Amino acid sequence: CLLAAERILRKSDESWAREWANIAQSACGIADQAAQSGQVITARQAYLRASNYYRAAMFSLPHSDARLDTYLTSSRERFRQAAKLFSPPIEAVDIPFGDARLPGYFFSAGHSKLPTLLVLNGGDSTNEEMVHWLGFAAVARGWNFMTFEGPGQWSALQLNPGLLMRPDYEVPVGAVVDYLVQRDEVDPDRIALYGLSLGSLLAARTVAFDGRLCACICDGLVVDVYEAWHAVWPRVLQNAPPRLFDLVFSVLEKLSSQLRGLTNHFRWMLGVSNPHEIIEAWRPYNIKDLAQQIQCPLLILYGEAELAQSNIRVGMSALRFISALSCPYTIRMFGFDEGWAATHCQVGALASMHAVLFEWLEKAVYGKEPLPRQDLGISLDLFMRYAGSGKSRREAEELVKDMRAGTE
């Protein structure tokens, strides 16, 4: 990674794609040679690296660029070559979904009727990334692991053209649960759902409508995607008419390769073109009124940076949602004192997240220790750091007071 970064030219999207693709091809050569000579572990590791490098190469490309199709296919195929070299193998599966097939991976922990962690991708993550994110950690702890890509997500959209993102993700998740409960390795009463970033909202919505999930983890919980996007715009954009919004936004895209890469993907996954259409398409992605419908235990994870980099409106939406929950719930905030775990979805310190998540799952799924009706820790204190002043702070104080009273 450092070698690729050294070669990438500043503010050059072309050199980004080129250098990651070059290092991916180099890793493929290592993997193929090792496989031919029977060096299974070397081949497996090199195929995994190649898969990840191809993912980096395609990440910011518009879907109109033929290289996105090439690199996405290569990332998936190199991972599948690696998957066959595990014992037991990581199984590539295709879930029937109407006329479509949803690609995924099932990773068995090795025995029958074990608990299963089903992972829901975010707005720009891939199946292959999620195996690294949680798959190996789950299987090492005796959990089966399943991840899939649904409507609007990378491989699902590539393999099923026109299968765009949709807010009612309980429908595709339901199809995956239908598949899981038929497997001998799976305990149908112990399927837990994890969602990160956008997937956190989709996961919370899913358990509000599907009672077959025994527990849910929302990492970086987003309650209202439209509000979250709107809150971080410069003031000139927040109330701008569509034509002015598109003009200013297009300038911002030219200045920021990070923003440009993200919106390139959103155009494809949402099936829209103009900047204001991207933002407008997120309006239905809102779970503000669904808190009372969730019955299974819920773990809500946040990094402090997510509050620091956002807007009080977003934090208040989260507090209102959490305060309305009637199910058992735990909030865990990773503060800046915990280093990179404070980042969005703990992307810089996944081991810290794993420790919290699996310890909580043991309580929630097996009941080895009683799960408090409300487990707040110091998380509400961290929320209050970003509660602003005036009316919003007074509301936050009342919500926090009521939530703390519920633990007494």
Side-chain angles (χ1 to χ4, degrees), residues 198-216:
L198 175 63
S200 68
L201 178 149
L202 302 176
R205 179 184 166 105
T206 294
V207 295
F209 291 101
D210 193 329
R212 294 178 294 173
L213 288 309
C214 69
C216 181

Side-chain angles (χ1 to χ4, degrees), residues 324-345:
L325 290 168
S326 58
C327 64
Y329 67 86
T330 300
I331 310 172
R332 176 62 161 90
M333 178 79 72
F334 294 88
F336 285 130
D337 60 323
E338 297 178 86
W340 282 96
T343 53
H344 180 53
C345 299

Side-chain angles (χ1 to χ4, degrees), residues 138-303:
V139 171
R141 290 168 170 84
W143 285 70
N144 298 321
F145 171 83
M146 175 82 204
T147 189
F148 78 102
E149 288 180 30
Q153 296 178 326
W154 293 100
S155 287
L157 185 52
Q158 181 202 36
L159 298 171
N160 305 277
L163 189 67
L164 301 175
M165 178 59 65
R166 53 192 286 177
D168 58 340
Y169 240 69
E170 66 274 12
V171 181
V173 175
V176 179
V177 175
D178 290 343
Y179 165 81
L180 283 173
V181 297
Q182 298 177 44
R183 294 196 63 124
D184 292 338
E185 303 99 323
V186 174
D187 182 342
D189 296 322
R190 291 191 170 95
I191 302 174
L193 181 64
Y194 168 94
L196 78 164
S197 196
L198 175 63
S200 68
L201 178 149
L202 302 176
R205 179 184 166 105
T206 294
V207 295
F209 291 101
D210 193 329
R212 294 178 294 173
L213 288 309
C214 69
C216 181
I217 302 97
C218 296
D219 197 347
L221 177 64
V222 181
V223 173
D224 184 331
V225 179
Y226 176 83
E227 178 184 71
W229 271 99
H230 196 266
V232 298
W233 295 137
R235 189 172 297 275
V236 67
L237 283 179
Q238 290 187 357
N239 297 302
R243 289 183 64 183
L244 177 59
F245 183 95
D246 290 352
L247 177 63
V248 176
F249 195 95
S250 297
V251 172
L252 294 175
E253 283 187 290
K254 290 178 181 178
L255 295 173
S256 170
S257 57
Q258 183 182 21
L259 177 62
R260 185 165 60 252
L262 197 60
T263 51
N264 278 341
H265 184 54
F266 286 169
R267 285 181 171 90
W268 185 34
M269 69 189 286
L270 295 166
V272 297
S273 300
N274 296 316
H276 76 272
E277 294 173 322
I278 298 174
I279 308 307
E280 195 64 27
W282 290 121
R283 279 191 184 273
Y285 296 80
N286 179 340
I287 55 170
K288 287 181 177 179
D289 299 326
L290 296 179
Q292 287 286 328
Q293 293 181 218
I294 298 174
Q295 299 302 313
C296 69
L298 192 65
L299 173 62
I300 300 167
L301 303 174
Y302 275 109

Side-chain angles (χ1 to χ4, degrees), residues 10 14 86 108 175 210 215 249 259 342 350 364 376 383 391 408:
R10 185 172 177 82
E14 281 300 310
F86 283 88
S108 172
D210 193 329
F249 195 95
L259 177 62
L350 292 179
L376 310 175
F383 262 108
K391 182 178 178 181
E408 297 174 356

